Amino acid sequence: MLEIEPLLLVVDDDRVTRLTITKVLTKAGYRVIDADDGLQAQQQIALHQPEMVLMDVMMPNMDGYSACREIRTRYDHQALPVLMLTGLNEMESIDKAFESGATDFITKPINWTLLTQRVRYALRTKAMGNALIRNQERLSQAQRIAKLGYWEIDILSGRVHCSDELYWVLGMETSTEVGELSSFLSLVVDEDRDEVESAIKIACESGGAFELEYRIRRADGEVITVQQQGQVNYSADGKAESLLGTVQDISERKAAEALIEYQAFYDSLTDLPNRRLFGDHLSHAISLAHQQHRQLAVLFVGLDRFKVVNDTLGHAAGDQLLCELAQRLKSLVRDGVTVARFGADVFAVLFEGLDAETDISSCASSMIEQMASTVTIREQEFFTSSSIGIAIFPHDGNSGEELLKAADTAMFRAKEMGGQQYQYFTADMNLKAQHRLKIEIELRKALERDEFQLFYQPQIDARTRRLVSMEALIRWNHPERGMISPLDFIPIAEESGLIVPIGEWVIRTACRQTMEWNRKYGLNLRVGVNLSGRQFTQPDLIEMVDDVLQKSGLPNHCLDLEVTESVAMDDIDSCIATLRQFKEMGIYSSMDDFGTGYSSLSYLQRMPLHTLKIDRAFVKDIGKNGENGEIARAIVAMAHSLGMNVIAEGVETEEQLQFLSAQGCDVIQGFYISKPLDVISFERGLKSLAA
Ligand code: C2E
Ligand code: MG
Ligand code: MG
């Protein structure tokens, strides 16, 4: 950077003095401008901003003192040094010069060597002063960013001095005099004051350092948390002189810490304790119950069909429902009973210190009753119900883990029984749960070990009685247990997610087999494949089906995908969208087990389905004890009015077949025609048809 020589202003009404000074200073390496009175000096300063002024005292228009005062008021700080040129040894004028704000003086007649020295030192002092101010400013700014201030107590007098930054942290005007230690202590909140006072006292007496966190009420009433570090300063002869304490506002950090802690132990949606906190409470309660030989109860409260709300109304509405139910549950129990959110749609309740009087059953019933009311979300009414599982300590488990598992198992059982009820845990449930687990483990291996097999059940045209299609039904050929019905393992596969790979295997195998038979026997058979809920919501379902059809070579219209009502109702809109895509691809779709679920006619109308399969329940009694098949008749009529075909399932007698075909039922499936057959038997049938 180019060094520019400092610019000086020389003010004197005597032209000769002015010129001489200018000459001397220019020679010494400065740039010089001049003015011949105080007024002109002001203009020069405004125009050129010199770094120093050399000023004569006696001048017309405005004398040196007034000019100096003017500079100080206008350009405030000491930043602009003013060197007064006074008469020799005129003490009075020297005093006056300093009073008007002069930095230094030099007596006339001027000693020229001294003048240059004085100027040089004045400029150097100014530079040092500037650097100091800059440092202080930076330090102060850094302290403000860190919300840090300090106080200092004079140990002898007890007087307190506070830094500007501390006033700022405290939200007080800088001029506010804290003065006494007691005034500072009065700002500390009541609960923390004694601790702060004694820490300061001990430090003053013992000369040690201390560190402390406490709360202060700011001038605006806000309470902040500060961190205090204190340390004693000693005089040269080793005497404790003062105690210096830094005070830092750490409220933001504290708030963040509190939030993190809250999130670790509470559910942010419902504000209830979370699983972790519940677990902590439970272990604590168990050790207490153990000591006092008392019982406690863990209840798992699961919402029935919560997924339906979530899927049909969206997650925001689902969240709102959860909050509403959490509040309700909380209001149902007395204080001291822990209610937590344990899973997405499961709450856990802990009843401690049970005695003979506590009636858990009636608590559970009233919970079920209260939770089973209608809630209104976005002007839509929802019927909610819940299922409760109950586990008792020490009867059902000795540890938290055992009790939680028992309550979960019991809740699962309550749901299995149709929901909206409570179940106590029983040892028998444990066996069932173990059995499930065992099946799940074995299911995982079954696919690799090729233990699955497809059976095919023929479906015939009701009028011509010719074979038109068949339904593929899975069997598990277990190495020890023999043939296992899908009813026993599909729900487990569904829950564990294993249904996805198993289901894909079913479609592949069924399509490949059907194509092979069609080709071999010149047929155009369609195969029905059951799709489970889990499979139906797979994002790549369409691609998977498309890929299977491509690879097997089976025409799209030869595949019929069966879904049940509950699958469709779980998420109606996306179900409709998926079915529509299948329809566009020319793939058939059927509503399986129709009449057993709870789908309404209005939904059915919107579903792009080809076929309704009347559930066996409406077929099995036809012809028995005067049962006239009214429901089956109505379903056939309704399906036809919606442009759908009808398949009757579970037809076991000629009478049923006659009746159903008289009603216009299109296709018949059931033991009367044939049981589901393994590949060899089915093919034997095809051969005989071809013969
Ligand atoms: P579904 O789809 O309604 O299948 C019809 C069930 O009724 C079959 O039982 C069949 O054997 C039985 N059935 C057929 N005709 C008669 C009859 O005249 N009388 C009686 N009493 N029963 C008859 P299955 O094979 O045990 O299958 C039971 C259920 O398991 C199926 O009901 C279906 O929901 C499910 N399932 C079977 N295979 C699969 C599969 O590959 N994937 C999926 N996701 N589910 C499957
Ligand atoms: Mg089926
Ligand atoms: Mg069925």
Side-chain angles (χ1 to χ4, degrees), residues 42-58:
Q42 304 301 326
Q43 289 164 4
Q44 291 285 67
I45 291 170
L47 217 57
H48 302 287
Q49 283 124 31
E51 289 187 38
M52 186 173 171
V53 181
L54 290 90
M55 176 104 69
D56 183 25
V57 174
M58 303 306 289

Side-chain angles (χ1 to χ4, degrees), residues 471-473 528-531 562-564 592-593 613 649 669:
E471 179 174 2
L473 296 158
V529 173
N530 294 284
L531 278 191
E562 297 186 5
V563 293
T564 59
D592 202 356
D593 305 343
K613 294 186 79 176
E649 286 188 289
Q669 174 184 356

